[in-house]
Amino acid sequence: MRKFFSLLLAAIATAGIYTSCTPEVDDVFDKSSAERISDALAADKQILVSAANGWRMEIYGNTDFGGYNLFLKFANDNTVEVASETTYDPATGEGADVRVTSHYKLEQSAGAVLSFDEYNELIHFFSDPENPAGLGTNGKGFEADLEFRILSASPDSVVMKGKKHNKKIVLLPLENSDVTKTIKDIANVKAEMESGNYTVTVGDNTYPAMLSYRNLTIVTTNEDGERLDVRAPFCVTTEGYKLYEPVTIDGHTLTGFQFVPNSLEYPDFKDSSVKLTAIVPPINQQFVNSVWFPTFSELGSFGQMYWGYMQENVLPVINGAGYPGGLDYFYFGFEDGQFGAWYKIIGYWGLNCFDYQLIGDDEITLVYNKVDAYNGTTFIGSGFLNVAAYLVAPFGCEADATPTARTFKMTTDNIKNPSWILLTDKDNPNNTIKMYASEIYRPYNY
């Protein structure tokens, strides 16, 4: 015990010697932490404000929908003037000059954070859960952020991450002061390059690719020959499709595809052995390979007769029998290996399968085939639940579910990438059905 205390005392004495002989250490920083934070925020603000023409923000939320362009001009008084490509309507040529000014702030929160803390309809368009323009999921919207952590900032770029959804967001300085023209140029690139179907050539291999919103799905195979989908969300710029992040296929890195006027082929920005090629199938093939959403208001008088009768006479009986609800969804086409009319009514999904015959490039014959799928036979030809017959009658059956072949002529707004397809019954000009590529919720409301 005595030996233990002797060693302890010796250690304490030695420590005391080193302590007493150690000189004072000067503070590593010449400013307090609060001052350093203030200086860092001021430097970030100076970068934001000093861009002569402002910035182009590539904003992403849920990458299923790809990216969009916002144009931001920051001022010293903590206001920001915002423009957006979403306000422009190429059909009318209006909306590119819309500007909305609101407040922004820079603050410290585990690093510098840029917040758009005052309502701005152009910025909040991407964070609104109500999904007003159909660009996102109902109840969630586009899922973009309003607060962004600044990862790096320089006059050449500002790289951030959304504080909530953690998506990378990039600000790039605008070379052109004419934002209105830039918005129109982007719309032109979009219209020229957009196609429902593509191929992607990578070296010696060519793969099919499909477009959904601003997201390419490239269908490749793995080492076992099994299907492997490579998803490539992108933002449309004046130069072409810029990928959210590079993707690798067959050892090649894809960064995006360069716009070439009056062409169907678009080379990768960096790899000349990679290219995107737009494929334009006949309109009737595009119809049967996807799904299309009609609205009540854009049915012809023949279709409105059937759909109106269901809404006014059939649904009230069903609701009164203890089956509440209405028609939430109706779409027609190919999904989950089945072709026909899909719908969600009184809270249940149903499917009525159809046969089809393609005629030439722009005609199709449709007929209900009575194949049992999901709740289809429950909702058609079965007493008071016979709601589906009224929904699908314009396509190819009678109100009592008797199959009746109908042949339609097809027209569209854009053969490369239709936003809508109009079916016109060749034997009944009052039977027209206009259907949209974008999802429509509760078609009676349109």
Side-chain angles (χ1 to χ4, degrees):
M1 180 66 72
R2 182 174 298 173
K3 183 177 180 181
F4 172 77
F5 278 112
S6 297
L7 291 172
L8 180 61
L9 289 170
I12 293 171
T14 303
I17 292 171
Y18 279 107
T19 302
S20 62
C21 294
T22 301
E24 285 190 15
V25 178
D26 293 333
D27 193 343
V28 174
F29 302 103
D30 58 359
K31 293 183 179 181
S32 69
S33 61
E35 290 175 314
R36 294 196 304 273
I37 290 170
S38 178
D39 288 348
L41 294 177
D44 287 340
K45 181 175 179 179
Q46 179 58 31
I47 288 172
L48 293 176
V49 170
S50 61
N53 299 320
W55 301 84
R56 180 176 65 86
M57 171 189 272
E58 297 175 0
I59 187 164
Y60 286 84
N62 184 332
T63 51
D64 284 349
F65 307 108
Y68 285 76
N69 296 282
L70 287 172
F71 302 88
L72 311 174
K73 189 73 168 65
F74 295 92
N76 266 316
D77 64 356
N78 282 75
T79 60
V80 57
E81 183 183 76
V82 184
S84 173
E85 64 167 300
T86 61
T87 62
Y88 179 53
D89 182 358
T92 63
E94 298 177 350
D97 57 351
V98 173
R99 304 290 184 269
V100 178
T101 299
S102 59
H103 188 267
Y104 75 92
K105 68 178 179 180
L106 284 162
E107 60 184 347
Q108 175 69 18
S109 177
V113 173
L114 171 64
S115 300
F116 298 99
D117 58 339
E118 182 180 16
Y119 181 78
N120 183 304
E121 62 189 71
L122 303 186
I123 299 174
H124 284 70
F125 172 93
F126 295 101
S127 60
D128 189 343
E130 294 182 1
N131 189 28
L135 182 60
T137 304
N138 288 321
K140 294 183 179 179
F142 188 76
E143 298 179 59
D145 281 309
L146 296 170
E147 296 180 296
F148 304 91
R149 297 190 186 280
I150 297 178
L151 305 182
S152 65
S154 74
D156 296 325
S157 68
V158 178
V159 181
M160 309 184 293
K161 273 199 173 181
K163 192 173 179 181
K164 180 178 180 181
H165 295 104
N166 207 38
K167 293 297 186 295
K168 182 181 73 173
I169 306 296
V170 178
L171 299 180
L172 297 169
L174 283 166
E175 296 180 1
N176 188 345
S177 62
D178 190 346
V179 172
T180 297
K181 181 179 184 302
T182 299
I183 290 174
K184 291 181 178 181
D185 289 345
I186 288 172
N188 179 64
V189 171
K190 174 181 178 292
E192 287 283 323
M193 291 186 68
E194 219 171 33
S195 178
N197 298 272
Y198 299 91
T199 60
V200 174
T201 300
V202 183
D204 296 329
N205 297 320
T206 298
Y207 302 102
M210 289 79 70
L211 181 69
S212 176
Y213 295 95
R214 294 186 176 183
N215 196 340
L216 281 170
T217 298
I218 306 168
V219 182
T220 68
T221 55
N222 62 19
E223 294 178 354
D224 298 324
E226 299 170 332
R227 173 171 170 157
L228 178 64
D229 289 351
V230 177
R231 292 163 50 77
F234 62 87
C235 185
V236 182
T237 73
T238 54
E239 287 77 38
Y241 289 175
K242 180 182 176 184
L243 299 191
Y244 172 65
E245 56 188 4
V247 299
T248 301
I249 299 175
D250 296 343
H252 293 258
T253 300
L254 285 61
T255 59
F257 301 100
Q258 183 178 345
F259 171 56
V260 180
N262 303 314
S263 175
L264 296 176
E265 294 187 354
Y266 311 105
D268 185 88
F269 285 119
K270 295 182 179 180
D271 189 337
S272 60
S273 68
V274 175
K275 66 179 179 181
L276 177 73
T277 303
I279 304 299
V280 186
I283 190 61
N284 53 10
Q285 288 187 16
Q286 295 188 55
F287 177 75
V288 300
N289 287 334
S290 189
V291 294
W292 304 88
F293 295 80
T295 66
F296 176 74
S297 64
E298 295 190 274
L299 293 172
S301 58
F302 182 77
Q304 286 193 356
M305 175 182 68
Y306 282 103
W307 279 46
Y309 184 85
M310 189 201 79
Q311 185 184 40
E312 295 173 11
N313 298 282
V314 180
L315 274 177
V317 174
I318 297 173
N319 296 158
Y323 297 91
L327 181 65
D328 291 330
Y329 286 101
F330 182 96
Y331 51 90
F332 198 97
F334 183 82
E335 185 175 79
D336 196 25
Q338 304 274 12
F339 179 79
W342 301 75
Y343 44 85
K344 185 179 182 183
I345 194 165
I346 60 171
Y348 297 93
W349 282 99
L351 164 64
N352 296 121
C353 295
F354 273 65
D355 292 328
Y356 66 86
Q357 178 184 359
L358 302 183
I359 304 169
D361 291 340
D362 60 357
E363 293 185 10
I364 189 171
T365 298
L366 301 173
V367 59
Y368 172 53
N369 65 17
K370 294 189 175 182
V371 171
D372 186 17
Y374 297 96
N375 298 304
T377 54
T378 300
F379 284 119
I380 193 166
S382 59
F384 78 95
L385 277 178
N386 184 35
V387 290
Y390 298 99
L391 293 174
V392 302
F395 294 89
C397 78
E398 302 297 335
D400 62 358
T402 301
T404 300
R406 305 191 193 281
T407 299
F408 298 91
K409 184 83 171 179
M410 294 182 172
T411 53
T412 184
D413 61 331
N414 182 353
I415 187 65
K416 287 179 66 176
N417 190 45
S419 67
W420 54 261
I421 292 178
L422 176 66
L423 305 184
T424 301
D425 193 331
K426 294 186 69 175
D427 295 324
N428 181 0
N430 294 319
N431 185 22
T432 57
I433 309 167
K434 189 174 185 179
M435 292 184 282
Y436 292 86
S438 298
E439 177 183 297
I440 290 175
Y441 179 61
R442 294 186 176 172
Y444 278 112
N445 294 346
Y446 287 80

